[in-house]
Amino acid sequence: MGVCKEQPGVRVALTGNESLARGALEAGVAYAASYPGSPTAEVLGTLAKVAGQFNLYVEWSVNEKVAMEGAAAASFTGLRSLVVMKADGLNVALDFAGALAISGTRGGMVILVGDDPAAHSSVREEDSRNLCKALHLPILEPSSVQEAKDMTREAFALSEQLKLPVVVRCVTRVCHASGDVKLEEIARPERRPVFGRHDRVITFSIRMHAQLEQKLSRAVDAAGDSAFNSYTGPSEAARLVIASGPSVMYALEALDMLGLSGSVGVLKLGTTWPLPEKLLLSYLETASAVVFAEEVEPFVEDNVMALAAGHWSELGGVRFYGKRSGHVAGPAGAGIGELDPDVLADALAKIFDVPRADPLLLTSLEAEAMLGEKMPDRELALCAGCPHRASFWAIRTALELDGREGIVLGDIGCYTLGIVRTGYYLLQTMHCMGAGVGIAGGLGKLDRFGFNKPVITVVGDSTFYHAAVPALVNARYNRANFLCVVLDNETTAMTGHQPHPGRRTTATGEPADTVPMEDIIRGLNIPYAISDPYNVDATVNAVCEMLEQSGPRVLILRRTCALAAVKGKRKNRVYVDWDKCIGDACGCGRFCSKVFACPANIWDAEHGKARIDEAVCNGCGVCATLCPQQAIVVEGTVE
Amino acid sequence: MSAFREPLNIIITGVGGQGNVLASQVISVAAVEAGYRVVVGETFGVSQRGGSVMSHVRISRDKAYGPLIPRGRAGVIAGFEPLETLRVMVKYANPDTVMIMNDRPNYPLGCLLGEDKYPDPHRIEETIRKIVARVHCLSATELAKEAGSPLAANMVMTGALVGSGLLPFGREYFTKAIELLFKDSVRDLNLAAFELGHRRVAG
């Protein structure tokens, strides 16, 4: 494994997330905690794998706030600690993060936040830098896989120097990139946590706010000296690009494509908050045109323009181009979506009035004309054999039988696909972890105003522990009327099968003191039932029965994630018996492929019969139990 | 071995679940083992399968590049699925791009539901041949079954990519990468699949 290679100077292939983990190892991290979220989900898993080798404490926490509180505790004793989350997770941890900035830290503490420009796997394109600025926390932004490691290592030192947590803000294109990384030595500090009876780390607002501002002005000086800020290009450039994150690489390539490398300079900012003011002013003095390249919001852009406004008399006639001016914009508009070399090349060609030689051959429309057909889009789908598909089918069927137009709410996880076709458009709300349960609690109190529809909320097992429990406590206390269906696939499937308190193992694979969700639900005095979603009839019955009840109640639909279940095992062979399948004559409306919509069930147009794609099928056999002709055969045994 | 263009831009495309990420990982580990600089940009994170996925792999002698290939600048496109091969070609190919494609369709939901029609894979191949000079079309999924499992189609495609002779370093670095990344029977399956793909294109 490249992550724990000991030879300094050697180059190994690492993913961005492994590189971030390696940076923490090189800094001598002792304590790491996280709740899994894309794009940073693999950082903690990487550290967990080497925890024994380097004597680290590594945990999957129940949510990001708890993770940050634990990491802060380690820092208070002088140890170096890391907490990892995605942008949405920083929102969860925000309350504590704000207090922690005031109290300060001791041992170096790094908050690694993964932002997801273009929302590849998020509900929104949040730019966490605006929050970090509000929190008064310094931000480092890696632009490459190599820098992901180098910056993480340095962030610990900076944190210790400032006695303040330091944020490493990494975007998807760095976290999920991989490349060759030059290693440095892994630190093995002697670890003796110290926190005595008289040690205090407190927030005491007025005096400590002043101290926090002083720490930030020291951070401005540190940013000015930082090697992570660098310049490439002609000296005293009149035309300048200020870039951060992977946009640095895109800008360099775009200038190269346009033949502008020799005449336009690129100022790379690695310390995006607080800004290295003197450094920036020295470049702004000679520049007459400045272009900003960053993701997602115009964060550096706004702050540099504010800095420039304060020095307007010295700077004279510099013009700023970016998101505010509308020049740096992708197809969806300025400040929306990711940048890439093409977006920047288009912008720079326009701003500096140079031609864009584009080897692009043809458009999709032209390709479709040559093909003589349309290229169909490809939507996301629940995996073949996904227990959630069976659960959604059962809920949908139960609601039809119930006939009262019940409402279905949801939140974040694989089951979010319940908002689209693959989940039969069942889910009517989707906001953040656990929000469905809280919203169900609100709807469940509206009977006095005449709202009488049954309310169902679905929540995943990991989300149950993360954010559903307080909402369920509230529902019990206030007697809200709804059915909470826990889609328990026994893992955090969305982010790569991380364990949670319902599992028997910890992050490092040690046996866990499992906290069964049944115990929690029982403790809340909430009635519950358990069903296997693969057993569709029984599940439909269970949903129907529980819809008849009142007050808060929970139905656990438990079946291991189809991807995890077949790992290393022989799967059942499922096939269509063409003697029994009578195709469209059946009247089932091509149930298996078109209605149930499992991607392994395909329609053989040539023969007018259903077929199963063995490369896709997971062998669950649920379609076999639903086929009206019993034409689907399962070879082997479905447990 | 053909002339190496700096950087060598490789795009791997297909459908979630086809092992796209692993294939790009094998290439990047092999490149580093061979002493080259490499950067891979992936799209993953939504664990659900069935969506379009794409990896950008950029190999260079000594320069660091960003993780995204500009449009029209792919040197090779390895398409694990016909429709995705065409979709990606439209944005990233130029007349010199080498196309390596698996002929086996993976039907989008809209096609399963009978709302969309999946284009004839032969027409897709013909269209691609009209646009670029060199196309290798192979039955990677069938070859993978021969090696032991249809799921190893990604290694058949990786073998085909190496067999095309476009990479600046030899296949031994790939067998080394496969041996580093996989264990036991999975390693043997992947090595066998890689061989079949390599032989299919290199002859």
Side-chain angles (χ1 to χ4, degrees), chain A residues 506-561:
Chain A
T506 64
T508 46
E510 285 153 58
D513 282 336
T514 311
V515 185
M517 60 179 70
E518 294 93 312
D519 291 0
I520 297 173
I521 299 163
R522 224 180 285 126
L524 297 176
N525 200 19
I526 292 177
Y528 73 93
I530 303 173
S531 185
D532 175 359
Y534 277 7
N535 192 341
V536 178
D537 288 345
T539 302
V540 171
N541 283 337
V543 176
C544 283
E545 263 172 40
M546 293 193 92
L547 280 176
E548 295 294 327
Q549 298 162 11
S550 61
R553 62 272 186 207
V554 174
L555 174 62
I556 300 168
L557 297 185
R558 180 169 291 150
R559 167 60 74 163
T560 307
C561 167

Side-chain angles (χ1 to χ4, degrees), chain A residues 613-624:
Chain A
D613 185 340
E614 63 165 317
V616 180
C617 178
N618 235 295
C620 77
V622 171
C623 59

Side-chain angles (χ1 to χ4, degrees), chain A residues 191-211:
Chain A
R191 286 170 181 145
R192 267 192 308 235
V194 179
F195 200 73
R197 168 66 194 90
H198 300 289
D199 285 320
R200 303 212 300 169
V201 193
I202 53 170
T203 58
F204 187 63
S205 67
I206 299 297
R207 200 180 69 210
M208 302 202 64
H209 187 184
Q211 282 182 5

Side-chain angles (χ1 to χ4, degrees), chain B residues 127-141:
Chain B
T127 307
I128 292 173
R129 283 189 192 281
K130 278 183 209 157
I131 299 164
V132 300
R134 197 170 144 198
V135 181
H136 300 282
C137 184
L138 63 157
S139 302
T141 311

Side-chain angles (χ1 to χ4, degrees), chain B residues 18-95:
Chain B
Q18 287 192 309
N20 196 289
V21 172
L22 265 179
S24 62
Q25 203 186 347
V26 167
I27 300 170
S28 66
V29 169
V32 173
E33 289 291 325
Y36 282 76
R37 306 288 308 266
V38 64
V39 63
V40 185
E42 324 261 12
T43 320
F44 71 94
V46 190
S47 75
Q48 294 90 354
R49 299 180 163 204
S52 307
V53 291
M54 179 167 52
S55 303
H56 290 194
V57 184
R58 315 187 74 186
I59 296 170
S60 79
R61 284 209 175 81
D62 49 20
K63 197 175 156 194
Y65 285 87
L68 292 175
I69 295 169
R71 62 184 184 233
R73 294 185 190 243
V76 199
I77 295 174
F80 288 13
E81 201 281 339
L83 177 63
E84 295 315 308
T85 311
L86 180 61
R87 209 193 302 278
V88 165
M89 192 199 69
V90 168
K91 187 166 178 198
Y92 291 99
N94 62 61

Side-chain angles (χ1 to χ4, degrees), chain A residues 306-439:
Chain A
L307 174 71
H311 295 265
W312 201 243
S313 54
E314 303 110 82
L315 295 181
V318 55
R319 278 201 66 179
F320 293 110
Y321 301 90
K323 291 178 174 131
R324 295 292 174 203
S325 71
H327 285 86
V328 179
I336 302 163
E338 292 185 299
L339 297 187
D340 61 36
D342 292 305
V343 170
L344 284 176
D346 290 342
L348 291 164
K350 211 179 288 168
I351 294 165
F352 297 133
D353 194 23
V354 291
R356 167 103 212 254
D358 190 346
L360 182 63
L361 274 164
L362 69 174
T363 64
S364 297
L365 284 178
E366 287 164 339
E368 285 180 345
M370 289 176 73
L371 182 67
E373 291 180 61
K374 266 191 76 66
M375 285 191 272
D377 287 338
R378 204 177 278 277
E379 335 168 21
L380 288 174
L382 292 168
C383 306
C386 177
H388 297 339
R389 178 182 293 100
S391 295
F392 286 146
W393 182 259
I395 293 170
R396 177 192 138 136
T397 308
L399 284 172
E400 268 170 30
L401 290 171
D402 179 83
R404 288 177 291 169
E405 298 202 321
I407 305 283
V408 191
L409 314 172
D411 56 45
I412 309 300
C414 296
Y415 54 99
T416 300
L417 291 190
I419 62 171
V420 293
R421 175 139 67 177
T422 190
Y424 319 116
Y425 301 108
L426 264 184
L427 304 187
Q428 295 168 259
T429 64
M430 191 268 282
H431 295 82
C432 65
M433 299 283 286
V437 190
I439 295 170

